[in-house]
Amino acid sequence: MSDLSDLYQQVILDHYKRPRNFRRLDEANRKAEGHNPLCGDEITVYLHLDGDVIKDISFEGAGCAISKASASMMTAALKGRTRGEAETLFEKFHEMVTGRRDGTADPAGLGKLEVFCGVSEFPVRVKCASLAWHTLRAALEGSGERVSTE
Amino acid sequence: MIPAGRQVAGEVCNECLVGLGVERIRQDFPALQVKVHGKPLVYLDNAATSQKPQVVIDRITRYYLSENSNIHRGVHFLSDLATQAYESTRDRLRQFLNAAHDREIIFTRGTTEGINLVAHSFGRSRVRAGDEIVISAMEHHSNIVPWQILCEEKGATLRVIPINDAGELLLEEYERLLCDRTRLVAVTYVSNALGTVNPVKPMIATAHRRGIPVLVDGAQAAPHLAVDVQDLDCDFYAFSGHKLYGPTGIGILYGKADLLESMPPYQGGGDMISAVTFERTLYNSLPYKFEAGTPHIAGVIGLGAAIEYVQRIGLPRIAAYEADLLAYGTELLSAIPGLRIIGTAREKASVLSFVLDGIHAHDTGTILDHEGIAIRAGHHCAMPVMKRFGVPATARASLAFYNTREELEALAKGLHKVIEVFA
Ligand SMILES: Cc1ncc(COP(=O)(O)O)c(C=O)c1O
């Protein structure tokens, strides 16, 4: 049986209660809105892209513990990284939360984001964990469209 | 097949009239015996859909095992059998709603299709630019969106009856909204998100004084309140079988015969015609005019068994038992620190919608699920209600007559656990 404490790890609860980079970013040159109609989660991701480098990143919005902590930890993980690195992290993150990670993947690359591995035991919560990332991708691609997990 | 010795609860005994014999009744619902995450299922998501008694499951099985055939079109034995079962269910539904005629009972896919049928057929033929449709602030999306589509197409306007902080309709505002441009009032009897029971009977009388017809969304009322459509005097009444212990994919639209007669068909196809040439088609009479194509025959027959089951127990007894459960649940939840009940109308049915301070409903739902407790977390297809109360979502426990006080205690205990996780 999946264990609740695998999902609601202390780090996750901490990021939920005290989200990092939780503000509007005035210098942002990219932004995107994300929405999970199932549970009403809404998020805006702000990016300050300098060439290929994410100089700064922040988010705003309301959501459940998983989606908010995921957004918070994503912003912490991506500051100073390149677009390419962000894409790779998203892929790894997505494989992890959907439980499709094979033995050869390099879990170390995810660093602190590993705390979300418990999500794979809770399939209905995968969308919560990946909402911020999907929104980030939309911001990077500059599509300006509201992304939805549906 | 029906296991030997199995009795239907309603037949059981007179003492059920006192309590409801709930332990006995629970035996009638196989899904209630399921274990979830190793714990006994506590099913509190009845407003989304109810569990099905064995008699319904058996009746559907029997139809497919030994009666399966298409209706209204065969001269052979099985077709006749299926047609009889189908049409006798229509008559049972007529009795259930106390409609005047069988032909006023139209089988649909559910409440949603019933409302869409009215929006499409009645709406398209009667509503013109500048006209108005009146709904309420507590409608399910299925009683909002079809009217929005219609209004957009016709250049008509949707008017909304506001609600107070308890989740009750403001009736003076309602009266003020009605005018000579109002073509229809479409309002829910019981709110799925708040539990409010609306005073539809006087509301219908008010509309009728101005000659305005009224559609009642009975999706949440059907499992809890005995309804007499002639007494209510509603013009349309829609509900779904699956919330009334019957199968999914089947529902009822009741409409007054003279209105239905005057309305154009909804869908074209087999069964809804009496003669077709390439030049023109003569439509069939009621109710077949509105039942194009092969219907959900097994669903209709299963719904008949569900209604029979409910009638044996009796909706007044069900309502009395549920009222007691609701009062107990309200008391238990009110004692939980940081919990706010959304929807505190004086007249309520079986719904406990709530938010916990600083904890999202979705997290509440996941943690309760771990305890085997099934509730719904989200906007309950009533996003305007969430907005009205300034919450993104609520957690909702919705009760049926097979729920127990012990289950509500389990819910309260589970909620303490939720608070602990987030402490
Ligand atoms: C008040 C109300 N109206 C309409 C509906 C739609 O019913 P269905 O999805 O069965 O068509 C529901 C179901 O949740 C409801 O609660």
Side-chain angles (χ1 to χ4, degrees), chain B residues 114-128 131-133 147 150 154 182-186 211-215 235-236 253 255-256 258-266 289-290:
Chain B
I115 297 171
N116 275 280
L117 188 160
V118 177
H120 205 95
S121 169
F122 175 88
R124 293 228 155 70
S125 56
R126 305 282 180 96
V127 175
R128 305 209 151 67
D131 286 350
E132 298 181 358
I133 305 278
W147 308 117
L150 175 69
K154 296 289 184 178
T182 313
R183 288 294 156 263
L184 183 81
V185 172
I212 303 163
V214 179
L215 174 143
D235 301 275
F236 301 104
L253 174 71
K256 283 184 182 165
D258 52 345
L259 262 174
L260 291 175
E261 297 285 7
S262 71
M263 284 158 51
Y266 169 49
K289 182 170 88 175
F290 291 107

Side-chain angles (χ1 to χ4, degrees), chain A residues 2 8 13 16-17 37 65 125, chain B residues 358 362-363 366 370 379 421-423:
Chain A
S2 49
Y8 293 107
L13 292 172
Y16 171 56
K17 290 177 198 161
R125 306 307 296 276
Chain B
H362 215 179
D363 295 311
T366 294
H370 233 69
H379 53 60
V421 170
F422 279 84

Side-chain angles (χ1 to χ4, degrees), chain A residues 1-4 7-8 13 16-17 35 37-41 63-66 122 124-125 128, chain B residues 37-39 358-360 362-364 366-367 370-371 377-379 383 392-393 417 421-423:
Chain A
M1 185 180 103
S2 49
D3 195 339
L4 258 192
L7 183 64
Y8 293 107
L13 292 172
Y16 171 56
K17 290 177 198 161
H35 177 49
L38 188 69
C39 44
D41 290 356
C64 65
I66 305 303
F122 296 81
V124 293
R125 306 307 296 276
C128 310
Chain B
H37 304 304
K39 308 211 166 106
I359 305 174
H360 192 280
H362 215 179
D363 295 311
T364 304
T366 294
I367 298 170
H370 233 69
E371 301 297 310
H379 53 60
M383 288 170 91
K417 181 140 190 189
V421 170
F422 279 84

Side-chain angles (χ1 to χ4, degrees), chain B residues 47-48 110-113 140 142 188 190 192 217 219-220 240 242-243:
Chain B
T111 311
T112 304
E113 193 182 41
H140 186 279
S142 64
T188 195
V190 175
N192 67 312
D217 172 350
Q220 295 296 339
S240 305
H242 69 96
K243 295 181 200 281

